[in-house]
Amino acid sequence: MKAGPDISRIAALVGDPARCNMLTALMTGRALTASELAQEAGITPQTASSHLAKLEAGGLIEPEKQGRHRYYRLSDPDVADVLEGLQGIAARAGHMRVRTGPKDPALRRARICYDHLAGDLGVQMLDSMKRQKLVRQSKQAIELTGEGKRFMAEELQIDADALTHPRRPVCKACLDWSERRHHLAGTLGAAMMDRFTALKWAARDATPGSRVVNFSRNGEKRFAALFGAGE
Amino acid sequence: MKAGPDISRIAALVGDPARCNMLTALMTGRALTASELAQEAGITPQTASSHLAKLEAGGLIEPEKQGRHRYYRLSDPDVADVLEGLQGIAARAGHMRVRTGPKDPALRRARICYDHLAGDLGVQMLDSMKRQKLVRQSKQAIELTGEGKRFMAEELQIDADALTHPRRPVCKACLDWSERRHHLAGTLGAAMMDRFTALKWAARDATPGSRVVNFSRNGEKRFAALFGAGE
DNA sequence: TTCATAGTTCGATGATAGCCGAAGCATCGC
DNA sequence: GCGATGCTTCGGCTATCATCGAACTATGAA
């Protein structure tokens, strides 16, 4: 009856709680084995195998065989974007899960969104970058300025010209579900997060499956010096 | 079990084909009635009612009651964004569908909504009236200004004070079916349509049951002079 | 070769949820 | 008032699909 691709098949894949748990577990950007995903979803390996086959057929995840293990990862950053968007809608509708642990405030402050920084600090960073005219935002597109390229090279040792990718933009606005504002995604967003990790300013929480990012005391200071809120 | 909003509930809502058809129909931005959405999805009104209740509970759509109709629209632009993202993923996975046909252009331009003018020209008229400060709109209530009363008396020979009615407001915002914006209902809306007919600016189409309104050449000119778009 | 681990396929089961017919409210037009 | 229309609720039918036990394949280690 309608034009356009068949959304409902894809959405139905995400609509199952077990599959959804697997997908959110993959949002950290890391690839996980079938068994790990089964445990993450709280189901038996047989059931997980069936789910993973469906997710793969739907183009949401991609397998990588390695010995007798099978690693799965999200097939595309767009998938992570859609999941983030769904989180935003779910949060607004007040459909939170019952388990609300001590991680919650930390999750709001700084977390991994696929492979880049999200949460309060992520939003603050993009805001500051716009104030410093390192990036220019028009509509949903974000562009790195000449000033921005210099900044990346001098302050963070990131070569912006090396970040171009065939299917992924260098800069992209990604809607934050806890804040309702944008943070920086794209290859630059990923490269900056990598750099923060390499500099030991921040590290992903050790808990498996956790999306929390912990900043060191020194890291927080250096981060604030570059992207402080009061800039 | 993870912290964070419950994505799967929301995704499951989109995951049903019938509900998904309704949502994509609403992606134009227009608000549609429950019956229209039922037809759009190819299901009976009973089933549609159940689906719409679920979508509303999930925060994906918002109702607007209007007489015996119930108009639904997407509750937030973010919802449309997520649907678009899903389309992208589905397109990449190769799940496509077929095409559909348009609607009657004359009906979209000018038609009768109960007893007042609706369609493109109806929306244009209310817009112009607001620009000329003939009416003041706060929320859904519309009020005729002193300037507006003078205008009605001088230009259209309508005595606004005579329009008060025990059970019906003088001015009311009525959601338009083809446009997604408001046009003017209430006793004033009806009186103005009556006046247009009496002045032979416009007439209802002769076809029995038709809701189309045909403007004469002269009528269109006079109408534009009072409520022109470029005002 | 033999055993252990990772992952899959198959079949049966059970619960969820979509669907419609019939009947019930609410609103509009006369 | 009356009937017509838009929408909802209720009850029962049916199909789909997630789930797991058991058995099977594939890789790696001893």
Side-chain angles (χ1 to χ4, degrees), chain B residues 19-31:
Chain B
R19 282 193 295 257
C20 189
N21 280 336
M22 298 180 179
L23 289 173
T24 49
L26 291 174
M27 275 187 72
T28 60
R30 271 183 297 185

Side-chain angles (χ1 to χ4, degrees), chain B residues 114-158:
Chain B
Y114 301 128
D115 56 5
H116 54 268
L117 185 63
D120 188 31
L121 290 181
V123 170
Q124 178 185 317
M125 184 176 83
L126 180 57
D127 277 353
S128 173
M129 288 172 72
K130 282 193 277 192
R131 265 200 310 276
Q132 298 179 60
K133 308 236 189 288
L134 307 182
V135 291
R136 204 179 308 121
Q137 181 168 18
S138 61
K139 290 181 183 177
Q140 286 214 349
I142 296 188
E143 200 184 357
L144 196 62
T145 64
E147 176 80 21
K149 282 188 187 176
R150 266 194 303 279
F151 180 96
M152 289 301 153
E154 289 175 15
E155 303 289 346
L156 293 171
Q157 293 79 48
I158 291 176

Side-chain angles (χ1 to χ4, degrees), chain A residues 99-110:
Chain A
R99 275 277 296 265
T100 164
K103 282 183 185 172
D104 243 10
L107 207 63
R108 275 223 174 66
R109 175 147 179 80

Side-chain angles (χ1 to χ4, degrees), chain A residues 21-22 33-45 48 208, chain B residues 1-2:
Chain A
N21 280 335
M22 298 183 180
T33 67
S35 315
E36 287 169 333
L37 289 169
Q39 189 178 7
E40 196 72 39
I43 52 180
T44 59
Chain B
M1 293 299 175
K2 287 243 148 42

Side-chain angles (χ1 to χ4, degrees), chain A:
Chain A
M1 295 296 209
K2 288 255 121 45
D6 189 356
I7 301 182
S8 67
R9 283 232 177 79
I10 305 296
L13 289 175
V14 188
D16 179 73
R19 283 192 294 258
C20 189
N21 280 335
M22 298 183 180
L23 290 172
T24 49
L26 290 173
M27 278 186 72
T28 62
R30 269 183 301 209
L32 299 174
T33 67
S35 315
E36 287 169 333
L37 289 169
Q39 189 178 7
E40 196 72 39
I43 52 180
T44 59
Q46 309 95 291
T47 310
S49 178
S50 155
H51 284 315
L52 290 168
K54 287 172 188 168
L55 287 173
E56 186 184 344
L60 294 178
I61 59 177
E62 275 175 353
E64 184 177 335
K65 203 170 179 183
Q66 201 153 97
R68 54 181 170 181
H69 293 279
R70 238 179 122 99
Y71 285 90
Y72 286 97
R73 58 164 48 103
L74 296 185
S75 64
D76 196 289
D78 292 350
V79 177
D81 289 346
V82 167
L83 292 174
E84 273 272 322
L86 284 170
Q87 281 185 341
I89 295 172
R92 201 175 313 131
H95 286 135
M96 300 296 278
R97 288 224 192 122
V98 270
R99 275 277 296 265
T100 164
K103 282 183 185 172
D104 243 10
L107 207 63
R108 275 223 174 66
R109 175 147 179 80
R111 66 173 179 278
I112 284 288
C113 170
Y114 191 55
D115 58 3
H116 52 269
L117 184 64
D120 188 29
L121 289 181
V123 170
Q124 178 185 318
M125 183 176 84
L126 180 57
D127 278 353
S128 173
M129 288 171 72
K130 283 194 277 192
R131 265 200 309 276
Q132 297 179 59
K133 307 237 188 290
L134 307 182
V135 292
R136 204 180 308 118
Q137 180 168 18
S138 62
K139 290 182 182 176
Q140 286 214 348
I142 296 187
E143 200 184 357
L144 195 61
T145 63
E147 177 77 21
K149 283 188 188 174
R150 264 193 303 281
F151 180 95
M152 290 299 153
E154 290 174 13
E155 304 288 346
L156 293 172
Q157 290 80 48
I158 291 175
D159 179 9
D161 293 323
L163 294 175
T164 53
H165 186 277
R167 282 201 330 228
R168 199 178 173 196
V170 174
C171 295
K172 191 182 168 194
C174 181
L175 191 62
D176 209 277
W177 71 260
S178 56
E179 315 299 310
R180 284 184 53 177
R181 314 176 53 190
H182 286 132
H183 58 248
L184 181 66
T187 55
L188 177 60
M192 292 178 75
M193 184 64 218
D194 278 350
R195 195 73 195 127
F196 297 156
T197 309
L199 290 169
K200 299 224 189 306
W201 292 5
R204 286 180 189 169
D205 197 281
T207 319
S210 171
R211 299 167 58 204
V212 171
V213 170
N214 296 310
F215 272 70
S216 69
R217 181 170 297 236
N218 178 49
E220 193 147 5
K221 212 183 292 176
R222 306 288 295 272
F223 181 89
L226 294 182
F227 308 110
E231 173 77 29

Side-chain angles (χ1 to χ4, degrees), chain B residues 121 195-203 214-226:
Chain B
L121 290 181
R195 195 73 195 130
F196 296 155
T197 310
L199 289 169
K200 300 224 188 307
W201 291 6
N214 296 309
F215 271 70
S216 69
R217 178 169 298 236
N218 178 49
E220 194 146 7
K221 211 182 294 177
R222 307 289 293 273
F223 181 89
L226 293 182

